[in-house]
Amino acid sequence: YTTLFRSDVIASRAFSADRIQSNLIEKKLQALRQAHNEETRRLKKDLAKRSASDREKIKARLKDLQKKSALKQAAMSAQLKALNDRSSSKQAGLEAQIESLRDGQRDHLKEAFSKRSPDLREAVQQRLFELGFYKSTIDGAFGTGTRLSITEYARRSNTFNLQTTEGAEEIIKELVGLDPKSTGVV
């Protein structure tokens, strides 16, 4: 659980750092737009007071300002998009790592055993008892005795990986499918 908590904290910090950087870029972009608008208003106001030749110069300056502003806005928007994409990608990767850690902590064997009906759970314990693996009460509960006996049975057959959902499911299916007569004890 400590590893899982640390991963959650690291993911949260990485996401927060990207969010802060994204907010800064958005503020810069907003300030740039505001400065552009103020300069445009000032130039337009100044334009009315000037002579025809000066007006042409001011119009040219205004066009140049609009081009530069558009380029800066496009560059900042691209930077913001890249940052958001990178942040989303990082978050997805961290979420996948966290899910992998959570999956690694799951008790696949207990899950596979417990989702069977009480009768089938008791049947599994009975088969393990008949085979000499289980020495406790046949009650259908998943305890230490049941875990150890299933693990020992799986180890002897050497075909199942109990650390995976598939392996745990297969060993339980095999035990459920054993015929009572095939175990040597009736």
Side-chain angles (χ1 to χ4, degrees):
Y1 293 112
T2 304
T3 304
L4 187 58
F5 176 74
R6 285 183 186 154
S7 294
D8 282 340
V9 168
I10 290 168
S12 180
R13 286 181 182 162
F15 185 70
S16 293
D18 285 347
R19 181 70 9 225
I20 289 169
Q21 190 174 2
S22 177
N23 286 342
L24 287 173
I25 291 172
E26 285 175 1
K27 285 180 182 178
K28 285 180 182 179
L29 190 57
Q30 186 178 12
L32 178 67
R33 286 181 183 137
Q34 187 176 359
H36 168 74
N37 290 339
E38 287 174 11
E39 181 69 9
T40 301
R41 276 193 300 272
R42 189 187 65 74
L43 286 173
K44 284 181 179 179
K45 196 185 259 187
D46 196 32
L47 186 62
K49 298 176 187 176
R50 300 293 178 140
S51 66
S53 65
D54 286 344
R55 283 187 206 152
E56 291 306 314
K57 289 178 187 175
I58 291 173
K59 285 180 182 178
R61 236 175 97 200
L62 188 57
K63 275 187 178 179
D64 187 48
L65 177 66
Q66 288 172 340
K67 285 180 185 177
K68 285 180 181 177
S69 180
L71 289 174
K72 281 183 182 178
Q73 286 182 17
M76 290 181 96
S77 293
Q79 186 180 8
L80 185 60
K81 183 183 180 329
L83 180 63
N84 286 337
D85 290 348
R86 189 179 82 217
S87 178
S88 295
S89 176
K90 275 184 188 177
Q91 186 174 2
L94 290 171
E95 286 172 355
Q97 286 178 345
I98 290 168
E99 186 57 35
S100 174
L101 288 170
R102 283 187 180 132
D103 190 49
Q105 292 176 342
R106 284 179 48 206
D107 189 346
H108 300 287
L109 188 56
K110 183 177 181 179
E111 288 175 8
F113 182 83
S114 298
K115 72 180 182 183
R116 300 303 194 276
S117 71
D119 291 341
L120 287 178
R121 292 193 307 257
E122 288 178 12
V124 167
Q125 289 175 332
Q126 180 65 37
R127 299 305 169 274
L128 290 166
F129 177 79
E130 293 167 358
L131 291 166
F133 292 104
Y134 188 68
K135 310 223 182 317
S136 192
T137 306
I138 296 174
D139 56 5
F142 189 83
T144 306
T146 303
R147 176 186 301 284
L148 292 174
S149 62
I150 293 172
T151 303
E152 183 60 22
Y153 177 83
R155 187 184 64 76
R156 292 223 181 135
S157 68
N158 202 26
T159 56
F160 303 104
N161 178 1
L162 301 181
Q163 301 303 315
T164 66
T165 301
E166 296 79 22
E169 283 291 331
E170 287 299 316
I171 194 71
I172 298 300
K173 280 182 190 175
E174 182 176 305
L175 288 166
V176 166
L178 285 178
D179 184 19
K181 296 174 188 155
S182 70
T183 62
V185 178
V186 179

